[in-house]
Amino acid sequence: MVRASARWWLLMLLLLGGCQCGDGPNVGGASASFRPQDTVVDFGRVLEGTQVRRSLTLVATGRAGVQVEAVTDAPFFVVVSQIVVTGSGTGTVDILFSAGSEPVEGELVLTAGRTTAKVKLVGVGVRPLPCVPQGECRESRFDLESGLCIESPQADGASCIPSSRCQENGTCQAGVCVGRPRTCNDDNPCTVDSCSPTQGCVTEKVVCPPPRDPCKAGVCDRNVGCKEVDVADFSPCGAVSCQRAEVCISGTCRSVTPPDGFVCAPATPCQDEGTCQEGACVRPDAGDLEAVFSAALGGEPVAEDGGPVLLADDDTVYASVCGEDAGCWLAAYTDRGLLRYESPYADGGARTLLAASGAGVVVLAPEALEAYAPRGAGELRWRAPLGASVGALDAGVPAGVPGTGAGRVALTAEGEVLTYVTWSETPFAGAEARRSRLVMLSADAGVPLAVGPDEPGGGAARLAVDAARGAYLYTPWDGRLAFTSWAPPDADAGVAPLSLDALGAGVPGGAASLALASGRLLVGTQAFVDTDGGVLGALDWDGGVRTLSPLAEPVLVSPGGAVGHAFALACDRTDGLPCPPEALRTVLRAFRSDDGGGLSEVDVLPSPVLPGVFHEAALLQRDIVGVLADVELPDGQRQAWLEWISSGRKASQCSLPGRVHVAGAVFAGDMLHVALRRDGVWLLESYPLGGRTESRGWPLRHASPGGSRRAAP
């Protein structure tokens, strides 16, 4: 019995003291380990830039508690890296996913003692689409699950922004944004206040009609409106020389003998003023013009034959440019040379400039007109296929390819586009039978608002817009001068008819040109016509023993409509033989508008002995004509000059620096902008005029300083 009892106690001691079966102290025979409840944590689709939190459960595999270390890498993050899992219980590890813009995978590593577990982490970062409502009174939101924009109507009464800037305080009514008419009247009789759907309130100073008397000026007085006042004493009122000068004194034009020191020629950006010395006008030597800026275009500027190479509007200069391998694009610069944008054309093909205003830049694309934004990135605002435009009323599609071009596109004061479109009656190339139609397109979308009748004939034509009345159309092939007026278009009324009413007998045999100012039209370089159709007088192109061949453009009309300016090629040969190109000279003639009689003539080429090319001209203030022309030097290179012509004589001329090839130019404000090539590089350069381009009437052939082919009242 004693032996048996001793063996029993020995066995108990071995069991209690010699067997260490647990994983930690003080737990006896309990085991301590864990396992993750899931092998994958999926965060799903998450918006870029946001975080999502998910939890993973850890399960104890024994009766003892255990501490687990959790580690992962970006874009996944562990909220608390040490997790306690209670014995026979669970613990939770929280993980964050910081979403980017693409699917990602990661790994969560869990460690406790000698136990390691790995859990896969997955998430999809989603970049939201820019959801823009497709219409008024609608809202658009990005749906994360589908990856699409979902649009829904806004409730009646919700605030909205009317599409027209002529309305304000808009609210949604049956899905349409309805606003109150905006009041633009500033109670100033010396301003013309109007509202543009694209620009809002537009205020322009009242332009008083220039008096016939050159010693009077029209000014607007807030109390009495337009009135006449005397110009400054000694202002020129006729020809000025150092032998005899016609100047204003106390409001009367008088002929005086200028004393020594009398200013006989104004200062220019390259030359000080001239003064009379012993009966002769003496001026210091002229230097080169100094460019305000010179910017590389990155390619060659392109233009339609006879169309503008550059356009200027609202302190911005536009060029259509093509690079060798880079395709073609619309370039916009500030008038001091800062690049605003380069907007590539969608197909990389060439476009040519037609007109520009605050509503957009209109260019000619293959079989279509396009409009680009004047600011921002210059994005394409709309594209209007010409075939659809001319068939807007009768739904017919022209058989031949329709076309338009420079001079056949004009802008209204509100930015609507008028275009005269011509097409062949048959689809075969070279078909002689043509038809034409006048179309008005909306400024914001390029959709047809009104169309004129389908007419026989077609080809070069010219449009001019009177902001107060309507538009004038001259078609040289039949000599017709026509007028059209329009009411403010109603978007809900559909496409309206546009009438074309003939004015008088027209002007047969004219060139493709038309200028408008103060109720008078200079038509086809042939005649002055009142805007009611009455012919005032044919231009006197009698060159005596010389041959004069009028140039179609530019033709310029003074702001008061009293004087017209036109250019011609002159040949001094009297033997009846053709004049060789090197013997042709370009002359500027001034005409009275009341009878067409000649006032003066001057050669505009810089050198009397070298052949040259006349590029561009514009009216400057004080009835000065600014001219850009060049000559071909004996070595074959070319040099260009800016000239000032007043009262039938050259007041001054300044050369552009270096040897250059001029592609085109535009006068705007107080600057001349020129596209030229120097040393093999195409550049846009700007030069000071020493004064301002005349902003009244229609002083330019392609675009007014305000950017469009239109005339102020």
Side-chain angles (χ1 to χ4, degrees), residues 457-540:
R462 288 296 180 264
L463 279 165
V465 174
D466 184 326
R469 300 189 64 201
Y472 299 87
L473 172 69
Y474 178 58
T475 50
W477 66 85
D478 60 2
R480 178 188 58 161
L481 180 63
F483 174 76
T484 182
S485 61
W486 57 84
D490 184 351
D492 298 327
V495 182
L498 199 62
S499 64
L500 274 172
D501 303 316
L503 291 179
V507 180
S513 65
L514 184 63
L516 164 67
S518 300
R520 292 187 173 177
L521 296 148
L522 179 49
V523 185
T525 68
Q526 295 296 310
F528 281 97
V529 179
D530 271 333
T531 50
D532 62 3
V535 176
L536 298 173
L539 301 191
D540 180 10

Side-chain angles (χ1 to χ4, degrees), residues 327-362:
C328 303
W329 61 91
L330 176 66
Y333 295 82
T334 68
D335 61 356
R336 291 302 184 265
L338 178 66
L339 178 66
R340 289 193 187 276
Y341 64 74
E342 289 180 338
S343 179
Y345 300 130
D347 57 4
R351 306 285 193 272
T352 56
L353 300 174
L354 294 176
S357 74
V361 186
V362 181

Side-chain angles (χ1 to χ4, degrees), residues 32-55:
S33 188
F34 77 96
R35 64 176 176 81
Q37 193 172 58
D38 300 300
T39 59
V40 178
V41 176
D42 189 349
F43 288 83
R45 294 168 61 84
V46 182
L47 282 178
E48 178 184 21
T50 63
Q51 288 186 334
V52 170
R53 185 169 181 157
R54 294 283 187 269
S55 297

Side-chain angles (χ1 to χ4, degrees), residues 586-671:
T586 304
V587 298
L588 167 65
R589 274 202 161 192
F591 303 90
R592 293 187 299 270
S593 64
D594 53 0
D595 61 4
L599 292 172
S600 63
E601 180 183 306
V602 60
D603 189 336
V604 301
L605 296 185
S607 167
V609 296
L610 295 174
V613 174
F614 158 64
H615 292 289
E616 189 60 282
L619 277 174
L620 309 181
Q621 290 178 342
R622 301 182 64 86
D623 291 332
I624 295 173
V625 179
V627 172
L628 178 66
D630 69 13
V631 297
E632 183 179 348
L633 303 174
D635 61 3
Q637 298 190 76
R638 308 194 78 88
Q639 187 166 9
W641 274 265
L642 172 60
E643 303 174 319
W644 290 263
I645 298 175
S646 175
S647 301
R649 65 183 185 88
K650 289 186 183 180
S652 183
Q653 64 182 42
C654 301
S655 59
L656 276 57
R659 304 295 182 256
V660 297
H661 172 76
V662 174
V666 62
F667 289 80
D670 59 355
M671 305 293 291

